[in-house]
Amino acid sequence: MADRDKVVNVSVAQDITVEGPNSENSMVITFSRKYNYEGEEYGQVDLSGLEDMTATDMIAANKILEKSGSFSFLPEMSLEYACIISARATKMPLEFFQRLHPRDAIKVKNKVTSFFYGEG
């Protein structure tokens, strides 16, 4: 057998992370049902804009939270704060997040909170 006809099997172990809409690491949240907001239907929201935020964005969110009359020792754990941060991250109106179905609002809150605490 000539050298060019030899078959070599090489096995390489790799740590591969797949980030599709359904993976834990994805910043895309799929809604439990279609969501109609201002005449448009949404099935998901992409929170990858969280990656580009700064402490300035968080401070601005705190100010909005304070103006609303809400108070929390850990604002980043509140649903209202998560909605404010999500609106800034996606450039969507705050009302988009405030009108989500409760199950989907909790998905958003959990994703924002886990992002802040480095869990995904």
Side-chain angles (χ1 to χ4, degrees), residues 50 53-66 68 70 72 74-88 94 97-98 108-109 112-113 116-117:
L50 289 169
M53 295 187 80
T54 65
T56 301
D57 293 302
M58 295 175 73
I59 292 165
N62 278 335
K63 288 180 180 180
I64 293 169
L65 195 62
E66 289 169 5
S68 76
S70 293
S72 175
L74 295 171
E76 69 277 8
M77 298 295 285
S78 77
L79 177 57
E80 188 173 6
Y81 186 82
C83 287
I84 295 166
I85 287 292
S86 297
R88 289 182 73 93
L94 176 57
F97 293 95
Q98 291 174 329
V108 168
K109 178 194 162 287
V112 170
T113 301
F116 285 143
Y117 288 100

Side-chain angles (χ1 to χ4, degrees), residues 16-90:
I16 299 173
T17 303
V18 178
E19 291 193 23
N22 297 321
S23 85
E24 276 185 40
N25 294 328
S26 174
M27 295 304 284
V28 175
I29 297 189
T30 302
F31 297 142
S32 59
R33 61 184 187 194
K34 296 291 181 192
Y35 171 51
N36 192 322
Y37 178 76
E38 293 190 350
E40 288 193 48
E41 196 169 76
Y42 297 86
Q44 61 187 23
V45 65
D46 183 354
L47 296 178
S48 60
L50 289 169
E51 298 285 349
D52 300 322
M53 295 187 80
T54 65
T56 301
D57 293 302
M58 295 175 73
I59 292 165
N62 278 335
K63 288 180 180 180
I64 293 169
L65 195 62
E66 289 169 5
K67 285 181 184 178
S68 76
S70 293
F71 175 78
S72 175
F73 286 108
L74 295 171
E76 69 277 8
M77 298 295 285
S78 77
L79 177 57
E80 188 173 6
Y81 186 82
C83 287
I84 295 166
I85 287 292
S86 297
R88 289 182 73 93
T90 60

